Amino acid sequence: MALELDQAASPSLTHDIVRWISQEYHDMNGSSIQTLESPPTAAEFAQLVHISRPVVIKGFQIPALKRWTDDYLQTKLQDRIISVAITPNGQADAIAAGPGGRLFFVEPFIEKVSMGKLLEQLNAEQNSDNLSASYLQSQNGNIYSSRFFESPNDDSSEFDALREDVPSNIPWVTEALGRNPDAVNLWIGNSKSITSIHSDPYENIYTVIRGSKHFTLLPPCEGWCLHERMYPHAVYGHTDNSNCLSVIPSSDTPQVRWSSVINPDLPGSLPPEAHPLHVTLEAGDTLYLPVGWWHYVQQSGPTTIALNWWYDAEVRGMNWIWLSLLRGSGDVPSGNDETDTR
């Protein structure tokens, strides 16, 4: 009987403990984000990783910051075809309603265009509410992947021509972590481009080249505020020769665990106990985003360009276990459960 009582009480007890951890973390750390006026040394960055809080870093200079005008990008890439995500509303990799009103985790339609065409589309979309949203956000190491460090000649990229402007690694990060990046990514969008809230298993160095990026951040201990659910997988696509994008359910893809909070900035989207942090990056600013931190990203400007370096998280020791515990284990409810008050 005692065991049965313990088991019955455990969900509530776990919920209370996670809330306590969340409040204690906020009481000890507050809502401020540290800003460094110059890049840290490897030893200083190792300390930042140990603390595991976001930090804005000024003065990280790379060639792309000064060179990447529209004309330069088009000249370098010429007519090379690149992969661009297309969605009806700018939200790729996000929850959307599909057939029968069911909710799906929906990946974007991928369109192959030239850099010139992408920049043209971004400018046109900025001035129209009737056009789909384009976002270069392939996230697969589209500048450099991990293969580059093993065999550079085998790591082909749609953006080979831009590599001379982008370092393959960041020395003070690589030295501190003892490893090269797993991926270096290029992001190009406009004010319609939105990244739904999620967390990554990476130490993330994110630099804005042009425009502004607006981050809403929550620490790993507040993952409970985001009400993760399991959603069937789908992709955006064209049906019946229509130019409009529709949600097309996948037949052989596992369900996806994702936050049911569509926009954490809307009043009432998060519980009152949540403590979101807000930070805006301008051109030349860099954000260190630690592993496990939840982030929702918007941008402003007709064309916003950013680069990021993903370094694999350290899975030895207790840190990864704590992150898994804070995210929660066990059965995750369905996002289409009609009895779910969310």
Side-chain angles (χ1 to χ4, degrees), residues 7-321:
Q7 288 176 335
S10 62
S12 176
L13 179 61
T14 300
H15 186 64
D16 290 343
I17 290 173
V18 171
R19 283 179 177 234
W20 177 84
I21 292 172
S22 172
Q23 188 59 51
E24 285 291 300
Y25 180 85
H26 180 260
D27 290 346
M28 294 184 68
N29 293 278
S31 298
S32 63
I33 295 179
Q34 181 182 6
T35 297
L36 301 180
E37 294 303 323
S38 60
T41 65
E44 290 168 341
F45 184 72
Q47 180 67 13
L48 297 178
V49 173
H50 177 71
I51 297 170
S52 195
R53 280 185 66 79
V55 178
V56 175
I57 302 168
K58 305 281 189 177
F60 176 44
Q61 297 294 325
I62 58 175
L65 274 170
K66 295 182 179 179
R67 297 179 183 173
W68 281 11
T69 64
D70 285 4
D71 287 344
Y72 180 87
L73 293 173
Q74 292 179 70
T75 299
K76 292 293 286 186
L77 291 172
Q78 297 292 322
D79 294 325
R80 174 171 291 201
I81 299 303
I82 57 178
S83 302
V84 176
I86 309 293
T87 61
N89 56 8
Q91 298 197 44
D93 304 328
I95 306 306
R102 297 184 71 212
L103 296 176
F104 292 82
F105 173 81
V106 190
E107 294 194 62
F109 176 76
I110 302 301
E111 186 174 66
K112 301 287 189 176
V113 299
S114 67
M115 177 60 74
K117 181 63 175 177
L118 169 61
L119 296 173
E120 179 184 315
Q121 289 177 185
L122 291 173
N123 283 316
E125 293 163 6
Q126 184 75 12
N127 301 313
S128 173
D129 294 330
N130 300 319
L131 296 176
S132 298
S134 304
Y135 193 15
L136 196 160
Q137 54 106 62
S138 43
Q139 309 172 46
N140 56 357
N142 58 17
I143 296 281
Y144 301 98
S145 76
S146 58
R147 292 189 303 274
F148 176 83
F149 301 99
E150 301 165 1
S151 180
N153 293 331
D154 294 332
D155 186 34
S156 60
S157 164
E158 294 177 338
F159 303 99
D160 283 339
L162 298 179
R163 282 181 169 175
E164 64 184 84
D165 299 333
V166 181
S168 60
N169 73 90
I170 302 173
W172 37 273
V173 180
T174 297
E175 181 179 346
L177 300 180
R179 62 177 69 90
N180 286 307
D182 187 65
V184 182
N185 301 304
L186 170 63
W187 310 76
I188 303 180
N190 58 23
S191 59
K192 286 188 173 182
S193 308
I194 297 172
T195 300
S196 63
I197 193 160
H198 68 288
S199 64
D200 294 312
Y202 296 108
E203 306 287 2
N204 189 357
I205 305 295
Y206 197 103
T207 296
V208 174
I209 305 300
R210 190 198 306 181
S212 303
K213 291 271 188 171
H214 313 286
F215 287 78
T216 299
L217 308 173
L218 286 94
C221 57
E222 294 193 358
W224 64 272
C225 299
L226 299 172
H227 305 285
E228 286 189 286
R229 299 291 184 263
M230 298 300 296
Y231 294 96
H233 182 273
V235 296
Y236 283 114
H238 298 286
T239 59
D240 300 326
N241 297 319
S242 170
N243 289 327
C244 296
L245 290 171
S246 302
V247 173
I248 302 176
S250 304
S251 59
D252 56 355
T253 304
Q255 292 201 30
V256 178
R257 179 176 176 173
W258 207 256
S259 170
S260 60
V261 175
I262 304 301
N263 181 353
D265 292 341
L266 291 178
S269 291
L270 298 174
E273 299 92 338
H275 307 98
L277 308 180
H278 302 279
V279 62
T280 291
L281 301 182
E282 306 292 350
D285 291 343
T286 296
L287 177 68
Y288 163 53
L289 186 61
V291 59
W293 274 73
W294 298 87
H295 49 291
Y296 174 78
V297 191
Q298 298 172 288
Q299 43 203 333
S300 54
T303 305
T304 302
I305 303 177
L307 294 162
N308 85 303
W309 291 256
W310 270 334
Y311 285 79
D312 273 332
E314 178 59 76
V315 297
R316 296 173 298 175
M318 283 296 297
N319 190 44
W320 190 257
I321 296 172

Side-chain angles (χ1 to χ4, degrees), residues 1-10:
M1 177 61 103
L3 178 59
E4 292 176 357
L5 288 174
D6 287 345
Q7 288 176 335
S10 62

